[in-house]
Amino acid sequence: SSSSPTTLQRSDSIADKMPDALKQSRYHMKRCFASFVKGGKKLMKRENLMNEIEKCIEDSNDRKKIMEGLFGYILTCTQEVAVVPPFVALAARPDPGFWEYVKVNAGDLSVDEITATDYLKLKESVFDESWLVKIFIQEQYVLLKKLKESYLFFQMFCRAKDEHALELDFGAIDFTTPRLNLSSSIGNGADYISKFISSKLGGKSDKLEPLLNYLLRLNHHGENLMINEGINTVAKLKKSLMLAVNVVSTYLNTHLMKLSPRVKETMVMLSEVLEAPDSVKLDLLFSRLPTVFNVVIFSVHGYFGQQDVLGLPDTGGQVVYILDQVRALEEELLIRINQQGLGFKPQILVVTRLIPEARGTKCDQELEAIEGTKHSHILRVPFVTDKGTLRQWVSRFDVYPYLERFTQDATSKILQRFECKPDLIVGNYTDGNLVASLMATKLGVTQGTIAHALEKTKYEDSDAKWKELDPKYHFSCQFTADLIAMNVTDFIITSTYQEIAGSKERPGQYESHTAFTMPGLCRVVSGIDVFDPKFNIAAPGADQSVYFPYTETPKRLTKFHPSIQELLYNEKDNNEHMDTLRKEKPIIFSMARLDTVKNITGLVEWYGKDKRLREMANLVVVAGFFDMSKSNDREEKAEIKKMHDLIEKYRNSELYRCIADTKGVFVQPALYEAFGLTVIEAMNCGLPTFATNQGGPAEIIVDGVSGFHIDPNNGDESVARIGDFFSKCSTDGLYWDSISNAGLKRIYECYTWKIYAEKLLKMGSIYGFWRQVNEDQKKAKQRYIDMLYNLQFKPLTKKVTIPEDKSLPMRLAS
Ligand code: UDP
Ligand code: LCN
C-alpha cells in the first residue's frame, strides 16, 4: 500500500505513517538513518537534515523520488532531529501549531511515537555531551584557575541529567479554556471567544447571569454606567429594558429630552442578546459598551521619548508603534465616549523608566504630554534598588532586577493620577509584559501583551545553550518572564499570523515556546498553546497624516526638498554619502537601524556585485540617522529647529516620497524581521516595496501583486527580481504605477491604525467579560504562575549585576 502524501489524513500521525514509508523506501531510509547516527550525539536542523540526505542519496533521480514519497513528506515536516545513537528522534510539524515526536531506532528501524517530554530529554542529553567536552577543554587549557567554573559546569551537567528536572506544564492546569482546532483560525481569538460565550449564554435565563453581573460591575469612578444594583436578576433586567425602550421611544419622538437614537438602539441590542444570544449581536453590543476609559501602556526599557531617541540603543520601531497606537486609541475612545453620551475624558499613560542620565533626551522628566493627543502622557518612573536610583541607561537584557520594585512604584503613581484603577493594561516587550502582568494581577484588571519581537527565535538554540549565553543576554530571566506574561495575560496582540504560528515551513515565534528545554534549569513541556483563543492579530499602521502617497502634491513637505536633494545628489564626498548619483536613474532605497539582522550590508554587497542593477538604478541607504542640523542653509536650519520634535518622522516620509518621484523602490533585506514598520511606511507613500520573505513582511506584501518578496539568503535571486522589475518598468509604462497602487490598496484594507484601534477596544471589552466568566480557571493558573515567579524567576534576576553608579556618592533608596 503506497499511499501518496496527498492522501495523508490529519489523523494519520507521522509514527503511523512510518511503516508505509519504510515499505516504500526501506533501503534509502536505512542508509539515511545509519548516516545520521554516525559520529554520535548531535542536534540537526532542517538545513543539516537536507544536506545529510543529499550526501546519502547521491543519485538525484532517486532523491527526487524519495522526496516525493512518504519518507520525503516526513523529512519536510521535520524541524529538528536529536541524534542519540542508536536513536534518532524527530520533532515533526506537519502543519502550523501541530507537533509530533517520534523516535526511530537506526538499527532495526523500529518506530515509537514519544511525548514532548521524552523528546526534550533526548535533546538535553545531546547538550550534556557538549558540556563535557567544554569541561575537558577548560581543564586542559586553564587548569586550576578555572576550577570553579568547571565545577559549575559539572554541577549543571549533573542537574541536566536529572530525571526530576523542573517541568513546566501550563496545559496541565488548563481545564476549561476552549481551544481552536484549525491552523487557519489561529489569531482570531476574540471572534472565537464571543462565539463561545454566546453559546454559553443561551438556554435558560440563569445562563445569562454572567452577563448581568458584568453589566452590574461596569462603572467609572464608582458611577454605574449600564444598570443599577436594583436590577439584580435577569428577569428584572428584561422587564426594565422593555419599559425603558418604550419610554425612550416616546422621548425620541416628542423631542422633550435630548437623547441620542443610539440609546434606544443599544437597549434594543441588549434585549435581543437577552432573548437569544448570538455572536454577531454580542459583538455589536460589546462594541458599544462603555468599558474602557483609562489605559496604561508599559514600555519599560530604552530611552522612551518623542524627540532624539530614535537610534539610541534599544529604541526602534517599538517606540514609533506605541506613540502612533496611543494617538489612534485616544481618537477612537473620544469617538466612542461621545457616541455613548458620556462626558468622561479618556486617559492613556505610557509608563516607562526615568533615566537621570538622559543624554539630551527628555527621559529624565517624569511627565510629558504626547504630541497629537489631548489627554495622553508619558509617565516615567525610575529604577530603584537598595543602592539607590539607577542613573544610567541599561540594556533591555539587563533590566530584570529592577522590575518588581518598578511595578510597585509605577502602580502607586498611576493610581494617584487616575484616581481609580485603569480599565486596561497593555504590556510591550518582555519587561513591559511582565510588569503589566504583575500590576494586572494585583489590581484585577484586564491585560493585553505585545511582544514586538520574542528574542528566543532570534538566536539559534538560545534555549538549549542558555547557560553559555546567560552572562551576556540573561535569557534564563527573559524566557521565564515571557512564559509568565504569556500565561497571565488575558489576550495577546500580534502584528502577523507568522508571529504566532509561523508558516508551513517555519514555526512561529510564540509557537517556539510550546515545548523547549533549558537544560539544568527547566524543561518546558507545554509553555503556550498557539490554539489558545487569547491570540489576536491586529497589525499596526503608519501615521497617515505623515506617510501619505507621493501623488498628494499639495500636502508634500517641500521644505525638506533642498536637504534631501543635497543628501541624494551632492557631488562632494562626505560623511553622509560617498558617491554621486545619476539623476536620470531611479533610486533603490533602504532604511534601517544598523543592526546585523537588518542585513543592510547584504544589500550593499548585492548591489555592488550586480552590474545590471548598478546600470539600471542608484542605491541609497539610510542606516542610522542622517543629521539634518548639518544643512548649509541657515533658514532651513531654523525651520528644522522649529520642527525638531517630529523631524525624523516628517523628513523620513518626504524621503520615501522623493524616492517615489524617481520611480524607485524600497528594499527591506532583513535576515529576519518581526513585523517591519518601514515596509508599511514605504507602501503608504506609494513606493513599490521589495521585502524579506523571513518574517512579517512576507505577510504584509502579496508577492507580485502589492510588492515583492526577496530571499535575504539568496542575493543573486533577490537582485534578479529587483532588476527584472526595473526592466519591466522600462518596457511597460504602467507597471510601476500598478504595483504602487496595489501596495496602497493593501495598506488601506489591512494596515491602518483605525482598524487596529477598533480591534484593540473590542479585545478590551470581550476579554474583560471572558476573564469573569472563566474566573476559576484563571485563579488556579495564577497560583501556579505565582510559584514560578517567586521560586524560579526572582532568584534568576539576582544573578544580573546591578551596575555601580560611579558618578555620584551612593544614595539610599527612599
Ligand atoms: N527609522 C528612522 N531612521 C532610521 C531607521 C529607522 O527613522 O535610520 C524609523 C523607521 O522610519 C521606522 C522605525 O524607525 O518607523 C523602525 O521600525 P521597524 O519596525 O522597521 O524596525 P525596528 O527598528 O523596530 O526593528
Ligand atoms: C520590533 C521589530 O523588530 C519590528 O519588526 C517591528 O516592526 C517593531 O518592533 C514594531 O512592532
Side-chain angles (χ1 to χ4, degrees):
S1 68
S2 60
S3 42
S4 83
T6 43
T7 62
L8 255 187
Q9 302 290 303
R10 242 279 24 116
S11 57
D12 293 333
S13 71
I14 297 282
D16 289 342
K17 282 286 139 195
M18 274 286 190
D20 285 340
L22 277 168
K23 274 186 205 151
Q24 274 183 3
S25 26
R26 187 170 191 96
Y27 169 75
H28 282 116
M29 279 176 80
K30 187 137 184 101
R31 272 184 61 123
C32 291
F33 280 101
S35 140
F36 296 163
V37 291
K38 218 163 69 194
K41 291 185 188 183
K42 63 184 163 204
L43 194 71
M44 296 196 287
K45 305 283 170 192
R46 274 165 74 88
E47 317 79 71
N48 315 121
L49 189 64
M50 291 306 156
N51 291 342
E52 289 271 344
I53 301 295
E54 282 196 12
K55 269 195 271 161
C56 299
I57 314 173
E58 280 151 10
D59 184 283
S60 61
N61 283 334
D62 278 0
R63 202 162 56 232
K64 191 162 171 274
K65 226 171 106 202
I66 296 285
M67 289 312 289
E68 282 166 0
L70 273 176
F71 184 43
Y73 169 76
I74 294 168
L75 290 173
T76 38
C77 292
T78 302
Q79 289 292 335
E80 192 179 78
V81 181
V83 178
V84 184
F87 298 111
V88 176
L90 312 180
R93 177 180 176 270
D95 275 306
F98 290 99
W99 288 81
E100 288 171 36
Y101 304 93
V102 289
K103 190 171 82 175
V104 181
N105 184 323
D108 59 12
L109 293 186
S110 59
V111 179
D112 284 311
E113 188 161 358
I114 55 172
T115 60
T117 310
D118 288 335
Y119 175 77
L120 293 174
K121 280 186 186 166
L122 280 165
K123 181 170 167 180
E124 283 157 23
S125 75
V126 172
F127 285 88
D128 286 345
E129 177 139 300
S130 57
W131 282 336
L132 269 187
V133 172
K134 263 192 196 118
I135 294 171
F136 175 74
I137 294 173
Q138 283 200 342
E139 285 181 353
Q140 287 294 306
Y141 291 101
V142 201
L143 290 172
L144 284 170
K145 265 193 237 158
K146 290 273 178 173
L147 195 64
K148 200 172 141 211
E149 269 175 44
S150 302
Y151 174 68
L152 285 178
F153 268 117
F154 185 68
Q155 251 190 339
M156 202 167 51
F157 162 70
C158 297
R159 282 179 62 196
K161 282 243 145 153
D162 186 0
E163 262 296 300
H164 303 287
L166 171 64
E167 271 185 16
L168 296 180
D169 187 352
F170 287 97
I173 41 160
D174 233 327
F175 307 111
T176 54
T177 308
R179 141 178 223 284
L180 312 165
N181 294 307
L182 306 171
S183 296
S184 54
S185 309
I186 292 173
N188 289 324
D191 288 344
Y192 183 86
I193 284 293
S194 91
K195 283 190 193 122
F196 185 81
I197 296 180
S198 49
S199 71
K200 287 245 163 197
L201 295 178
K204 287 199 186 135
S205 256
D206 60 346
K207 294 264 180 67
L208 287 162
E209 261 166 30
L211 180 61
L212 174 75
N213 293 335
Y214 181 72
L215 296 175
L216 276 168
R217 282 196 224 172
L218 278 186
N219 76 85
H220 188 57
H221 286 285
E223 190 184 326
N224 273 349
L225 295 177
M226 289 300 289
I227 50 179
N228 61 42
E229 317 79 82
I231 307 178
N232 53 4
T233 66
V234 175
K236 279 190 201 166
L237 177 59
K238 283 183 176 169
K239 202 164 158 204
S240 314
L241 269 171
M242 244 155 49
L243 289 171
V245 171
N246 285 337
V247 173
V248 169
S249 309
T250 318
Y251 278 120
L252 274 181
N253 292 338
T254 57
H255 298 283
L256 281 174
M257 212 180 187
K258 207 169 155 255
L259 263 185
S260 149
R262 283 176 68 93
V263 176
K264 184 181 164 190
E265 279 167 30
T266 311
M267 286 179 173
V268 173
M269 268 176 202
L270 177 55
S271 307
E272 284 178 3
V273 168
L274 295 174
E275 184 186 33
D278 72 48
S279 66
V280 178
K281 286 184 201 142
L282 199 71
D283 272 356
L284 263 176
L285 177 68
F286 269 82
S287 69
R288 294 201 165 193
L289 292 182
T291 50
V292 178
F293 305 101
N294 291 346
V295 184
V296 174
I297 297 178
F298 279 109
S299 173
V300 182
H301 70 255
Y303 289 89
F304 192 104
Q306 304 177 81
Q307 301 162 21
D308 305 316
V309 296
L310 270 173
L312 289 179
D314 289 347
T315 311
Q318 182 177 319
V319 177
V320 177
Y321 176 119
I322 293 170
L323 292 172
D324 285 348
Q325 173 198 39
V326 169
R327 283 184 268 267
L329 199 58
E330 189 189 279
E331 206 174 301
E332 192 60 31
L333 281 172
L334 284 169
I335 294 173
R336 289 190 186 198
I337 293 172
N338 184 30
Q339 286 173 340
Q340 285 153 356
L342 298 169
F344 308 136
K345 283 187 203 136
Q347 291 201 70
I348 306 176
L349 274 183
V350 176
V351 185
T352 187
R353 79 165 278 224
L354 183 145
I355 311 174
E357 281 169 14
R359 289 172 58 181
T361 68
K362 288 193 179 166
C363 295
D364 54 355
Q365 290 185 9
E366 182 174 280
L367 202 68
E368 187 186 342
I370 297 180
E371 285 141 19
T373 69
K374 292 199 181 84
H375 315 288
S376 305
H377 291 85
I378 301 172
L379 171 71
R380 299 195 182 87
V381 178
F383 279 172
V384 177
T385 68
D386 294 345
K387 293 181 181 172
T389 296
L390 188 74
R391 299 186 51 79
Q392 66 267 52
W393 168 85
V394 289
S395 140
R396 67 186 190 280
F397 296 117
D398 299 333
V399 296
Y400 301 102
Y402 316 100
L403 297 181
E404 188 173 298
R405 173 75 192 258
F406 175 84
T407 312
Q408 288 159 1
D409 297 346
T411 305
S412 51
K413 290 252 172 194
I414 293 162
L415 293 178
Q416 244 172 35
R417 258 203 88 76
F418 283 169
E419 293 176 334
C420 65
K421 286 200 276 186
D423 307 301
L424 177 65
I425 301 177
V426 181
N428 290 274
Y429 194 72
T430 310
D431 48 359
N433 290 336
L434 185 79
V435 169
S437 305
L438 295 177
M439 183 176 171
T441 307
K442 174 141 189 265
L443 300 182
V445 171
T446 312
Q447 184 204 348
T449 60
I450 308 173
H452 296 281
L454 288 164
E455 301 287 344
K456 188 170 165 300
T457 33
K458 274 202 202 164
Y459 305 80
E460 188 161 292
D461 291 327
S462 56
D463 43 13
K465 294 184 180 156
W466 71 276
K467 192 82 199 183
E468 252 171 67
L469 298 165
D470 229 43
K472 193 165 167 203
Y473 295 106
H474 307 296
F475 286 148
S476 58
C477 293
Q478 181 150 28
F479 302 164
T480 312
D482 280 332
L483 279 178
I484 291 174
M486 283 174 208
N487 280 285
V488 175
T489 191
D490 297 295
F491 62 93
I492 297 176
I493 304 170
T494 73
S495 300
T496 56
Y497 178 94
Q498 66 81 35
E499 191 179 335
I500 314 170
S503 57
K504 188 94 182 101
E505 295 78 31
R506 182 185 180 126
Q509 294 180 57
Y510 281 96
E511 193 181 356
S512 86
H513 293 71
T514 312
F516 66 97
T517 180
M518 293 194 271
L521 186 67
C522 68
R523 183 182 301 137
V524 182
V525 297
S526 145
I528 186 77
D529 180 359
V530 294
F531 293 94
D532 191 311
K534 65 169 60 173
F535 282 104
N536 285 279
I537 305 165
D543 182 341
Q544 289 178 324
S545 65
V546 180
Y547 297 98
F548 54 81
Y550 75 104
T551 45
E552 293 185 14
T553 317
K555 280 164 74 184
R556 295 278 302 258
L557 306 170
T558 44
K559 57 165 78 75
F560 292 123
H561 285 186
S563 63
I564 289 175
Q565 291 297 316
E566 194 193 46
L567 171 89
L568 299 179
Y569 298 112
N570 190 341
E571 287 178 7
K572 273 182 264 152
D573 278 3
N574 61 23
N575 287 345
E576 271 151 10
H577 47 86
M578 298 183 301
D579 234 331
T580 307
L581 303 187
R582 303 274 300 275
K583 282 206 169 158
E584 68 283 3
K585 286 187 195 172
I587 293 177
I588 300 169
F589 175 50
S590 191
M591 177 168 70
R593 290 177 294 116
L594 257 184
D595 185 331
T596 328
V597 77
K598 300 285 181 188
N599 195 27
I600 291 289
T601 43
L603 174 65
V604 175
E605 204 179 312
W606 301 344
Y607 178 80
K609 277 205 238 155
D610 195 85
K611 192 156 173 270
R612 175 171 87 128
L613 199 58
R614 284 203 316 273
E615 272 162 14
M616 281 194 282
N618 296 313
L619 175 69
V620 170
V621 164
V622 173
F625 301 79
F626 78 84
D627 185 357
M628 297 276 291
S629 60
K630 286 197 191 124
S631 166
N632 292 329
D633 182 324
R634 278 171 71 203
E635 265 168 46
E636 191 184 79
K637 264 189 175 170
E639 191 57 34
I640 287 164
K641 191 101 199 90
K642 218 163 66 197
M643 295 271 312
H644 202 238
D645 298 356
L646 297 159
I647 195 154
E648 271 145 5
K649 192 164 148 182
Y650 281 99
R651 186 258 298 142
N652 278 354
S653 70
E654 200 49 36
L655 184 54
Y656 287 116
R657 285 185 288 267
C658 288
I659 306 291
D661 292 336
T662 74
K663 298 281 168 205
V665 297
F666 184 73
V667 181
Q668 212 284 17
L671 300 175
Y672 181 77
E673 185 64 59
F675 180 68
L677 287 176
T678 53
V679 172
I680 53 171
E681 288 167 359
M683 287 166 77
N684 263 291
C685 295
L687 187 57
T689 301
F690 289 75
T692 177
N693 62 8
Q694 302 295 311
E699 224 165 289
I700 302 174
I701 292 173
V702 180
D703 190 25
V705 179
S706 40
F708 302 91
H709 296 170
I710 49 171
D711 181 353
N713 300 309
N714 189 341
D716 293 345
E717 189 193 281
S718 302
V719 160
R721 289 210 85 179
I722 304 171
D724 292 349
F725 172 80
F726 283 121
S727 63
K728 189 151 179 196
C729 290
S730 60
T731 53
D732 176 354
L734 298 175
Y735 190 56
W736 190 94
D737 289 293
S738 74
I739 300 291
S740 161
N741 290 334
L744 281 165
K745 186 162 171 273
R746 177 86 179 146
I747 292 290
Y748 299 148
E749 279 169 7
C750 308
Y751 298 97
T752 70
W753 280 114
K754 171 87 182 152
I755 304 175
Y756 177 100
E758 285 168 1
K759 282 190 180 173
L760 177 55
L761 288 179
K762 176 177 170 181
M763 290 177 223
S765 53
I766 283 280
Y767 289 98
F769 184 23
W770 173 238
R771 56 182 273 125
Q772 288 185 18
V773 177
N774 204 26
E775 201 178 5
D776 293 343
Q777 171 67 69
K778 213 174 153 58
K779 275 188 185 152
K781 204 168 183 183
Q782 189 57 44
R783 284 289 170 225
Y784 187 69
I785 294 167
D786 287 347
M787 271 204 280
L788 180 63
Y789 177 79
N790 282 294
L791 303 178
Q792 184 86 338
F793 178 75
K794 274 178 77 165
L796 286 170
T797 63
K798 304 243 156 66
K799 295 194 179 151
V800 183
T801 317
I802 294 171
E804 287 293 332
D805 181 359
K806 297 201 183 82
S807 62
L808 285 173
M810 200 125 81
R811 280 151 310 133
L812 284 177
S814 52

